[in-house]
Amino acid sequence: MKQVFLETFGCQMNVADTDRMELILFHSGYRRTQEKEDADLILVNTCSIREKAEQKTFSLFGGLKPLKTTNPDLILGLTGCMGQQDGEKMLKKMPYLDFVLGPDQVEGIDQAVNRVRESKKPFVWTGFDIEKAYSIPEISGDLPKKPSPSSFVNIIKGCDKFCTFCIVPFTRGREKSREPEELYQEIRHLIDHGAKEIILLGQNVNSYGKRGLKNPIPFHELLYKIAEIPGLERLRFTTSHPNDFTRETIRAYRDLDKLVNHLHLPIQSGNNDILKLMRRDHTVEEYQELIDELKSEVPDISLTTDIIVGFPGETDAQFRDTLKVMERIGYSSSFMFSYSPRPGTPASEFEDSVPLETKSKRLQEIIKLQNRLTQEQVQSYKGKTVEVLIEGGSSKPGYSFKGRNPQYWRVNLKGDEKKFQPGDIVQVNIEKTSGHSLSGLIQ
């Protein structure tokens, strides 16, 4: 039996792509291993949206080179957004690589491996799928592993927004949606095999249905249809863009008990001039109006976001505007970054005028603010009872399980391991809070 080692960097879309490659390789005779030294095939699914992710990739491959030296039959593959962006450069920089694939070549991973074995020559396979439709063909038969109680489903790929700082439209192409019937079929399959929560994925999920469908339906209608599938307990989605987040979707939060009370809605900056430079095409006021309306319909909604500090030209006053927005909205957590130019993006042509020291100082300041906001919210759960979907075993000493509540807070649980198992939805009395997590006893 051949073995494959899989490593993933980046977003949940990459995680889902890795799961897809594992399934395809499973039906080609591969089993996943957690030990690189035991592998016949090593795949690293990469991200290029942040410089740090690229550095981690090069570091990992530096450690893999000796394995290739001692085992010439070992196949090393780089997949994902770095492959799409810099395919030929990757081969030149790491000549011990056997192949480089872009995100649109996920379905051909078995063909790529066979090509290496037959030709013994390295190659790059990128480019975008020219089909107007986006489909993930079903593979019947056994699964390589039981689905997680919380499982991902890709509903749309690509992005049409072209924010000036973002490489995604250049590495994942234009938006294409999957047919709803194909989605329903996949979700029913996952539920039949043990999934309880479905997380809908896309670079911009609420743009679903605008391109690539024979029978177009808008995103909010898709939510209502999926919520009707028997056996589904919870429904989430990520990521959204403020320009496509509609009032109808707000109504869906109000109407659908299965649609959990959490929304990730990136704002990126709290200043309108910076948002214009970022080509976000919305204002702070429009964003806040959406949030206010959502909170009026769903008072216990939990909000998370993405924020970039030190964008070219950002002044101290403009940075302070971001702090004000964070305070006003009250995010439960944020993905926070200092700006670094990504080759090939429009912003890379801007003068990177904010000194590195200033970027670092601003980043630490928003991290400090977010930590305070998080602590204020997490402490409010102490002594309360919350609903938790058990996702697996806890690594925290003294606790049996881990899971999440509807607001997407991580929860460590104490409970009888003979009585409860992953996939169970339980009531938990919160005894302690720490950082971004809750801890308690199953009732």
Side-chain angles (χ1 to χ4, degrees), residues 248-263:
E248 289 84 359
T249 304
I250 293 176
R251 303 293 95 76
Y253 270 104
R254 179 195 65 192
D255 296 343
L256 299 175
D257 291 337
K258 294 180 180 180
L259 183 58
V260 296
N261 294 348
H262 169 252
L263 171 66

Side-chain angles (χ1 to χ4, degrees), residues 330-354:
Y331 297 109
S332 61
S333 69
S334 302
F335 292 97
M336 299 164 281
F337 310 93
S338 59
Y339 173 76
S340 61
R342 310 311 297 138
T345 62
S348 67
E349 302 296 323
F350 300 170
E351 181 185 356
D352 192 7
S353 56
V354 181

Side-chain angles (χ1 to χ4, degrees), residues 24-25 28 107-116 118 123 125:
I24 293 169
L25 290 168
S28 296
E107 295 295 324
I109 185 62
D110 54 342
Q111 301 171 42
V113 173
N114 289 337
R115 178 175 167 181
V116 170
E118 292 171 2
F123 66 91
W125 185 11

Side-chain angles (χ1 to χ4, degrees), residues 239-299:
T239 293
S240 297
H241 192 290
N243 287 5
D244 296 313
F245 189 78
T246 65
R247 266 65 185 182
E248 289 84 359
T249 304
I250 293 176
R251 303 293 95 76
Y253 270 104
R254 179 195 65 192
D255 296 343
L256 299 175
D257 291 337
K258 294 180 180 180
L259 183 58
V260 296
N261 294 348
H262 169 252
L263 171 66
H264 186 75
L265 192 64
I267 190 170
Q268 305 296 358
S269 172
N271 178 268
N272 285 333
D273 290 335
I274 295 298
L275 288 176
K276 188 174 182 180
L277 285 173
M278 290 178 168
R279 201 184 289 156
R280 292 292 286 170
D281 295 332
H282 65 82
T283 65
V284 172
E285 292 75 20
E286 289 167 341
Y287 180 96
Q288 291 178 156
E289 184 180 342
L290 280 173
I291 296 300
D292 289 344
E293 186 169 342
L294 178 61
K295 285 184 174 181
S296 71
E297 296 285 5
V298 190

Side-chain angles (χ1 to χ4, degrees), residues 45-242:
N45 199 7
T46 63
C47 172
S48 60
I49 199 166
R50 307 288 176 205
E51 186 177 8
K52 188 175 181 180
E54 292 187 352
Q55 292 170 348
K56 287 182 178 180
T57 297
F58 289 126
S59 176
L60 175 61
F61 271 108
L64 296 177
K65 183 179 179 181
L67 296 179
K68 182 74 170 178
T69 303
T70 57
N71 179 14
D73 291 330
L74 172 65
I75 295 177
L76 294 180
L78 183 150
T79 67
C81 293
M82 280 182 69
Q84 184 70 40
Q85 184 179 353
D86 295 313
E88 294 293 345
K89 290 181 182 178
M90 292 296 102
L91 281 188
K92 291 179 181 178
K93 192 163 188 174
M94 298 179 286
Y96 48 88
L97 273 175
D98 290 292
F99 63 83
V100 175
L101 302 186
D104 269 9
Q105 281 66 51
V106 164
E107 295 295 324
I109 185 62
D110 54 342
Q111 301 171 42
V113 173
N114 289 337
R115 178 175 167 181
V116 170
R117 292 204 182 281
E118 292 171 2
S119 70
K120 306 294 184 182
K121 295 179 180 180
F123 66 91
V124 174
W125 185 11
T126 55
F128 294 120
D129 179 8
I130 62 174
E131 296 294 329
K132 293 183 178 180
Y134 171 33
S135 178
I136 299 179
E138 181 185 9
I139 297 179
S140 59
D142 294 335
L143 296 173
K145 59 186 177 183
K146 184 179 179 180
S148 168
S150 182
S151 296
F152 297 129
V153 173
N154 286 340
I155 69 168
I156 182 173
K157 69 176 179 178
C159 185
D160 289 351
K161 293 300 182 221
F162 289 90
C163 301
T164 57
F165 57 82
C166 187
I167 196 67
V168 166
F170 306 99
T171 58
R172 287 190 174 265
R174 303 299 296 274
E175 290 174 353
K176 296 179 185 179
S177 300
R178 292 174 66 191
E179 290 294 334
E181 287 301 327
E182 183 177 287
L183 296 175
Y184 307 150
Q185 182 180 21
E186 180 177 350
I187 291 169
R188 284 192 292 265
H189 178 76
L190 289 169
I191 291 172
D192 288 345
H193 286 79
K196 297 297 179 66
E197 175 181 79
I198 295 298
I199 304 176
L200 307 179
L201 292 183
Q203 268 74 37
N204 180 15
V205 289
N206 44 21
S207 188
Y208 175 84
K210 293 184 177 180
R211 292 181 59 186
L213 294 184
K214 297 177 183 176
N215 300 300
I217 67 168
F219 178 63
H220 68 275
E221 287 188 18
L222 181 73
L223 294 175
Y224 282 91
K225 292 288 188 180
I226 292 174
E228 296 174 356
I229 295 177
L232 178 69
E233 298 288 345
R234 286 182 175 182
L235 179 60
R236 299 185 189 273
F237 59 82
T238 193
T239 293
S240 297
H241 192 290

